[in-house]
Amino acid sequence: MLFKTIVGAVATAATCLGASLDRVFFFGQNPTNIRMYIYVPDNLAPNPAIIVALHPCGGSARQWFDGTNLPSYADSNGFILIYPSTPNQSNCWDVQNPDSLTHGRGGDALGVVSMVNYAIDRHGADRARVYVMGFSSGGMMTNVLAGSYPDVFEAGAAYSGVPHACFFGARSAMPFSINQTCAQGLQKPAQEWGNFVRNSYPGYAGRRPRMQITHGLADSLVRPQCGYEALKQWSDVLGVAFTRNVTGVPSTEWTQQVYGDGTQLQGFFGEGVGHLPSVNEAQLLRWFGLIN
Ligand SMILES: *[C@@H]1O[C@H](CO)[C@@H](O)[C@H](O)[C@H]1NC(C)=O
Ligand SMILES: *[C@@H]1O[C@H](CO)[C@@H](O)[C@H](O)[C@H]1NC(C)=O
Ligand SMILES: *[C@@H]1O[C@H](CO)[C@@H](O)[C@H](O)[C@H]1NC(C)=O
């Protein structure tokens, strides 16, 4: 406890007041030795929701904590933020790892799920309101987690990511690695993408996470086609068909793609937007149902 307090104090020396981003050392099964950081706001809501926020390649918990305004929303709304952090593969998540692509088998995915269970037990969080979001490698991992652990996540939001299992068969999951097959826009029929998700947890018949997919149309590192492919995948898994495009949502350069009635699946594609963490926090939190 004392150790944790000291580490937390060091990590936030610049801010001084209020809650801090704290490292948790022992949180359960963690086969790939990834790291857990947590932000528990001072005015924690009763039975709080949890958002898992996943950093990009080369990132860290601290970098992604500073990368969006989610911490200030946590302060005002009382939800918990978990920032997993990976020291491996140039700080990229292991989205190519068959262990992460399989329910309960291992990989970074199992470590992240252990963090969620730890936060539920330790802070009385609401098991029915656990969300995941991430950018780039974190967006890819968002789709991996939503596919392999549909029983854990109520909804997900992937920014500049790729479909679940897009990197399956690749030796590394760095978008700038020598194998560009996935990140340059690997296409498969919707049902084939859907089968990857279903096969990651054979026999699972429960509800699936609602998904929001955001991608810049000028992204050359992870091509926008990857966003379209992710929509095809979730469209098949969730059983909702494309309904309509809505231009100018949430702002001029963006087009919203609505599937079904829009409550299960939607996409956002930004004209002239490159490989950027285009997180609109208010829109994200409305998607998760955490603000009105
Ligand atoms: C990840 O990095 C940690 C710390 O260096 C190490 O202990 C662990 O074995 C690595 N995991 C993998 C799968 O490479
Ligand atoms: C490159 O990655 C794709 C999946 O993204 C995989 O199917 C393919 O086998 C990989 N190629 C090589 C040479 O490893
Ligand atoms: C919706 O927008 C996408 C590109 O963002 C386009 O490929 C598709 O044709 C559009 N569909 C309709 C019905 O306008």
Side-chain angles (χ1 to χ4, degrees), residues 217 228 242-246 255-257 269:
L217 290 170
Y228 295 140
F242 172 79
T243 313
R244 64 186 186 279
N245 288 332
V246 188
T255 295
Q256 180 190 35
Q257 294 199 359
F269 292 87

Side-chain angles (χ1 to χ4, degrees), residues 49-217:
I50 296 173
I51 299 177
V52 175
L54 297 158
H55 66 68
C57 283
S60 65
R62 163 58 53 181
Q63 168 267 336
W64 197 226
F65 180 79
D66 293 336
T68 76
N69 284 325
L70 288 176
S72 62
Y73 279 96
D75 286 338
S76 48
N77 291 269
F79 57 80
I80 292 172
L81 285 162
I82 295 176
Y83 287 91
S85 203
T86 178
N88 308 312
Q89 296 193 118
S90 307
N91 314 102
C92 298
W93 301 103
D94 69 350
V95 297
Q96 86 294 356
N97 183 351
D99 289 348
S100 279
L101 293 168
T102 308
H103 180 85
R105 194 156 109 187
D108 295 348
L110 186 61
V112 171
V113 168
S114 295
M115 296 177 196
V116 168
N117 288 328
Y118 169 90
I120 291 170
D121 292 347
R122 173 79 174 73
H123 300 286
D126 186 352
R127 192 171 285 285
R129 291 188 303 145
V130 179
Y131 307 95
V132 57
M133 65 82 72
F135 163 59
S136 196
S137 180
M140 302 174 189
M141 194 60 176
T142 295
N143 285 319
V144 168
L145 283 161
S148 299
Y149 294 92
D151 52 335
V152 173
F153 299 98
E154 201 280 319
Y159 298 81
S160 316
V162 302
H164 173 100
C166 183
F167 277 96
F168 179 73
R171 276 190 302 277
S172 144
M174 287 175 249
F176 20 80
S177 78
I178 216 149
N179 186 340
Q180 292 280 328
T181 305
C182 168
Q184 288 300 303
L186 178 62
Q187 298 188 39
K188 290 181 190 292
Q191 196 185 354
E192 211 173 298
W193 282 130
N195 285 342
F196 276 115
V197 169
R198 285 180 289 271
N199 293 339
S200 70
Y201 191 178
Y204 179 76
R207 69 171 297 284
R208 299 276 177 178
R210 303 177 296 108
M211 295 301 291
Q212 188 182 77
I213 304 295
T214 302
H215 221 111
L217 290 170

